[in-house]
Amino acid sequence: MQTWLNPIVLEGNLVRLIPMETSHIQALLEAASDGNLWELWYTSVPSKDTVETYVKAVLDEQRASLALPFVVVEKATGDIVGTSRYLNVDAANKRVEIGATWYAKRTQRTGINTECKYLMLSHAFETLNTIAVEFRTHFHNHPSRNAILRLGAKQEGIIRNHRIDHNGLIRDTVIFSILDNEWPPVKKSLEFKMRKSYK
């Protein structure tokens, strides 16, 4: 069945984003094991005890047309090094969130995240014709907040006591967005940053 958000492969110079499948479970666990990312208390990264449930839940959201998850393939090695997804899909209002992103420690701050977000933003604004793309993160996840700002998103505000996280703690969520009319200069900025990282 065709929906607004259909599985697609997005490809750049550094990465290929391919739709997540259950066959990726072991590779995702290996990526998360690089840095024991599940130990970060302010984010949700699967461990060996949770990775199967994690992938199943994400694919259930996809079947309900609420998300489109990707695994991130590093083209130089062919390794799956992380994941990102479209989520909180609002097809009627042409809005989507990009999030639930994490990468193996060795690939952090390498240009991979910038290219992933560029590919996903380009698809959102230029193919899906979204009017706004949101980013949300934990108040205490300062690396993520800084990375979102570097993309060119603007902070909209903070939802306090937004939800109870997987540790049972009450989370404040910071919301950022990029609007359709803001995309052209954001795109130009990201392309400039990517050219520098390719050198």
Side-chain angles (χ1 to χ4, degrees):
M1 182 180 74
Q2 287 289 103
T3 61
W4 181 56
L5 195 59
N6 296 295
I8 189 171
V9 174
L10 303 175
E11 185 162 354
N13 289 313
L14 302 177
V15 298
R16 182 181 300 110
L17 304 183
I18 61 177
M20 184 185 291
E21 300 176 355
T22 53
S23 62
H24 298 138
I25 286 174
Q26 185 57 38
L28 284 167
L29 178 59
E30 289 171 10
S33 298
D34 181 2
N36 294 343
L37 301 181
W38 54 81
E39 294 177 354
L40 296 172
W41 68 273
Y42 49 71
T43 190
S44 181
V45 178
S47 67
K48 63 179 175 60
D49 297 325
T50 62
V51 67
E52 288 189 24
T53 303
Y54 174 92
V55 170
K56 180 182 181 301
V58 173
L59 295 178
D60 284 346
E61 286 186 12
Q62 179 179 338
R63 281 187 284 274
S65 299
L66 298 174
L68 178 57
F70 297 95
V71 293
V72 180
V73 179
E74 182 183 38
K75 291 178 69 172
T77 62
D79 294 339
I80 289 175
V81 295
T83 182
S84 192
R85 75 183 87 139
Y86 296 115
L87 65 162
N88 291 323
V89 175
D90 184 353
N93 291 298
K94 292 188 172 287
R95 296 179 66 95
V96 70
E97 178 186 343
I98 294 175
T101 303
W102 53 264
Y103 305 101
K105 186 175 181 180
R106 70 173 179 79
T107 65
Q108 295 173 15
R109 306 188 71 82
T110 63
I112 281 179
N113 182 57
T114 301
E115 188 174 88
C116 285
K117 295 304 191 297
Y118 174 82
L119 293 170
M120 294 178 74
L121 285 164
S122 295
H123 183 66
F125 285 118
E126 297 170 16
T127 301
L128 301 176
N129 297 312
T130 55
I131 61 172
V133 174
E134 289 185 10
F135 300 86
R136 299 184 177 206
T137 193
H138 195 297
F139 178 83
H140 288 283
N141 191 346
H142 294 287
S144 177
R145 291 172 65 174
N146 290 334
I148 293 168
L149 287 170
R150 282 195 303 273
L151 292 172
K154 295 177 181 175
Q155 183 173 320
E156 292 197 351
I158 301 172
I159 305 176
R160 303 183 68 198
N161 280 9
H162 181 218
R163 65 177 196 234
I164 301 170
D165 70 15
H166 61 286
N167 296 306
L169 299 173
I170 297 177
R171 159 182 161 150
D172 292 349
T173 298
V174 189
I175 300 180
F176 304 81
S177 68
I178 299 172
L179 306 183
D180 54 354
N181 64 301
E182 296 170 340
W183 171 236
V186 169
K187 179 180 182 180
K188 181 71 82 174
S189 173
L190 290 174
E191 288 173 344
F192 176 76
K193 289 173 181 171
M194 288 190 298
R195 280 196 300 272
K196 289 173 64 178
S197 73
Y198 296 153
K199 293 178 180 176

